């Protein structure tokens, strides 16, 4: 099924200049990045985005990481986009991520930070993809409403 998903190059990935590499890897499996923007997150949007881990002991470190510099937000479209992006990323823990995956190739291999500094985010389900696209690209939703109002 053709889907759209939300992906986000995290601050370490942006600092390493990985955006062109990610675009290339997505393109190679037939995925297209339809929208992109660089943005600096704040505590509010981060807490919302990471609500499922907000009570975990690692959350302060995750917050420090995600607020340490700009991220690049992306909407990615293509066949089976949600799972395809997750496959290209590799698992959360970069030490478990195989070479050839983005996290395996560029994520932290340090025991202390390999679960946190993992370069890229991708939505984990179609339902969350829609929520995350709307969270990080609210202006697209507004445009739609505006178009409807004009029509
Ligand atoms: N994370 C962490 N320590 C952990 C698990 C997760 O710092 O033990 C961070 C990591 O950056 C991860 C994010 O929290 O990407 C969200 O966790 P999730 O379980 O949703 O992993 P993901 O879907 O990103 O693979
Ligand atoms: Mg997740």
């Amino acid at each position: 099924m053709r889907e759209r998903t939300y992906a986000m190059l995290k601050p370490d990935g942006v600092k390493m200049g990985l955006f062109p590499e990610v675009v290339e890897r997505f393109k190679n499996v037939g995925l297209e990045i339809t929208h992109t923007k660089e943005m600096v997150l704040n505590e509010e949007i981060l807490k919302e985005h990471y609500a499922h881990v907000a009570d975990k002991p690692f959350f302060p470190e995750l917050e420090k990481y995600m607020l340490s510099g700009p991220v690049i937000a992306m909407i990615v479209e293509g066949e089976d986009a949600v799972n395809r992006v997750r496959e290209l990323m590799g698992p959360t823990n970069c030490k478990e991520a195989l070479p050839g995956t983005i996290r395996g190739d560029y994520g932290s291999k340090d025991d202390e930070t390999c679960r946190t500094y993992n370069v890229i985010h991708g939505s984990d389900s179609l339902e969350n993809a829609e929520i995350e696209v709307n969270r990080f690209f609210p202006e697209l939703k507004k445009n739609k409403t505006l178009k409807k109002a004009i029509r």
Side-chain angles (χ1 to χ4, degrees):
M1 189 177 70
R2 197 173 166 87
E3 298 173 347
R4 70 170 182 174
T5 189
Y6 176 72
M8 176 165 62
L9 196 61
K10 296 184 177 186
D12 52 346
V14 175
K15 281 183 196 125
M16 283 185 260
L18 290 182
F19 184 63
E21 171 72 19
V22 167
V23 174
E24 185 70 17
R25 288 186 184 213
F26 285 1
K27 221 170 87 183
N28 286 344
V29 298
L31 295 171
E32 184 194 352
I33 300 175
T34 60
H35 299 76
T36 181
K37 67 179 172 189
E38 187 169 292
M39 61 194 290
V40 176
L41 304 183
N42 59 39
E43 286 177 27
E44 195 189 344
I45 196 164
L46 195 69
K47 222 170 220 140
E48 202 183 289
H49 180 62
Y50 281 139
H52 62 296
V53 292
D55 59 349
K56 299 276 195 244
F58 61 79
F59 188 74
E61 184 61 25
L62 176 60
E63 195 170 54
K64 195 177 113 195
Y65 164 45
M66 292 300 297
L67 301 179
S68 68
V71 301
I72 297 178
M74 291 167 262
I75 302 176
V76 185
E77 264 187 41
E79 194 62 27
D80 203 19
V82 172
N83 287 328
R84 236 166 239 182
V85 167
R86 295 283 295 188
E87 280 163 19
L88 290 176
M89 284 164 43
T92 312
N93 181 340
C94 302
K95 285 187 93 167
E96 289 169 5
L98 293 175
T101 64
I102 298 168
R103 285 170 168 175
D105 289 343
Y106 300 106
S108 167
K109 295 290 154 36
D110 179 273
D111 280 332
E112 294 281 303
T113 57
C114 61
R115 288 172 203 82
T116 303
Y117 289 74
N118 57 9
V119 177
I120 190 164
H121 165 84
S123 308
D124 63 4
S125 68
L126 203 49
E127 193 190 352
N128 282 334
E130 278 313 296
I131 293 170
E132 291 175 3
V133 162
N134 289 325
R135 174 177 299 139
F136 290 95
F137 289 90
E139 64 275 18
L140 299 181
K141 220 174 153 188
K142 276 182 206 137
N143 285 348
K144 243 185 209 167
T145 318
L146 195 67
K147 269 188 210 149
K148 261 187 205 155
I150 291 167
R151 218 184 286 142

